[in-house]
Amino acid sequence: MNKKVEELVPLVDFLGRALGASTEVVLHDLEDPEHSVVRIVNGEVSGRAVGAPATDFALKMAEQLEHSGDSFVSDYVATTADGRPMQSSSYFIRDEGKIVGILCVNIDPQPFRTLEDSINAFMEAYRHGGSEEYRDTNLEAVRAAYRESSIETLSIGGADTGVAEQVRSLLGALGKTASELDQAGRIELIRRLESAGTFLIKGAASEVANVLCVSVPTVYRYLQQVRRQG
């Protein structure tokens, strides 16, 4: 483990205890991206454990911010492997300027939603002219928008790297199934995956090909076209 990363292990334990069971604190060592999680507290929030991989988004952030003065990125939406949204922030650990690790804090908003539902139900009971159906419809619309704003999928590792979930999410955003995509649609999807840093994950092309029902060489051909176009 990188020494700079190792120095923050006690901080992970402290934050996990101080912030409570609904907040996952994760320490990544980027020297081994496929098994980058070296310490995690409250891992049941995302279902991850020590040895889980770094996400494509985390690797892309590290690459893009390598030569910047930024120390952290805060308040973005991530999604667990089973589709639950998290409120996330990441602090970058540097060794002589190089980003060698990431300390991530992922908050599960579900307890707050439960409280929100209770308050809304109470208010609805005393609101003239309102309807529970109207409230529930609008609440679900807000939650759907929150889910769709996710920019990171928290992978538990093994066969699941989050890549397949990301492809399916993009298909949903495009309103298409894999079989309904024409060549232009597949290239657009590859372009979005490339922008998100998906292909930094080992084996990503194979997973993308599997979901799109095309060959791996076809995915690489589309990817080369996207990269040539800039």
Side-chain angles (χ1 to χ4, degrees):
M1 188 188 310
N2 182 279
K3 185 173 178 58
K4 293 290 186 180
V5 175
E6 187 175 11
E7 289 174 354
L8 294 185
V9 169
L11 181 60
V12 174
D13 296 336
F14 165 70
L15 290 175
R17 181 69 63 86
L19 297 175
S22 294
T23 300
E24 176 187 72
V25 185
V26 190
L27 184 63
H28 293 274
D29 185 341
L30 297 184
E31 289 182 352
D32 184 5
E34 292 185 49
H35 307 90
S36 69
V37 176
V38 293
R39 184 66 177 170
I40 184 167
V41 179
N42 302 327
E44 61 274 9
V45 169
S46 71
R48 292 181 296 174
V50 170
T55 67
D56 51 352
F57 178 72
L59 293 173
K60 188 69 171 181
M61 279 197 300
E63 179 186 41
Q64 292 179 339
L65 300 178
E66 182 76 55
H67 304 293
S68 76
D70 294 333
S71 298
F72 63 87
V73 174
S74 63
D75 198 29
Y76 60 88
V77 179
T79 303
T80 62
D82 59 0
R84 291 175 292 111
M86 299 284 123
Q87 201 70 25
S88 301
S89 298
S90 294
Y91 174 82
F92 305 106
I93 306 163
R94 296 178 183 269
D95 188 353
E96 297 183 353
K98 177 179 175 60
I99 295 177
V100 295
I102 306 176
L103 175 63
C104 297
V105 176
N106 303 308
I107 302 172
D108 181 0
Q110 185 58 49
F112 302 102
R113 290 183 185 169
T114 300
L115 177 61
E116 175 190 43
D117 285 349
S118 299
I119 293 174
N120 283 337
F122 177 80
M123 293 177 64
E124 190 68 34
Y126 293 94
R127 178 182 175 187
H128 295 291
S131 73
E132 186 173 350
E133 181 181 356
Y134 177 83
R135 176 183 65 83
D136 289 343
T137 298
N138 282 272
L139 183 58
E140 179 54 36
V142 171
R143 288 180 175 173
Y146 186 71
R147 287 192 298 268
E148 290 169 5
S149 68
S150 173
I151 57 177
E152 180 182 25
T153 299
L154 305 177
S155 173
I156 61 176
D160 168 30
T161 65
V163 174
E165 287 75 11
Q166 189 175 15
V167 176
R168 294 188 186 102
S169 177
L170 285 174
L171 285 171
L174 293 171
K176 300 281 189 180
T177 65
S179 61
E180 291 173 337
L181 282 183
D182 56 14
Q183 179 173 307
R186 289 193 291 270
I187 291 174
E188 175 59 26
L189 188 142
I190 296 298
R191 177 176 290 105
R192 296 190 186 191
L193 292 173
E194 170 68 359
S195 296
T198 300
F199 293 102
L200 293 172
I201 295 291
K202 183 178 180 180
S206 178
E207 289 202 51
V208 173
N210 185 55
V211 177
L212 294 183
C213 301
V214 298
S215 67
V216 173
T218 295
V219 170
Y220 279 121
R221 187 170 68 253
Y222 292 155
L223 182 58
Q224 289 173 355
Q225 182 174 337
V226 166
R227 287 173 175 172
R228 283 198 302 268
Q229 293 172 346

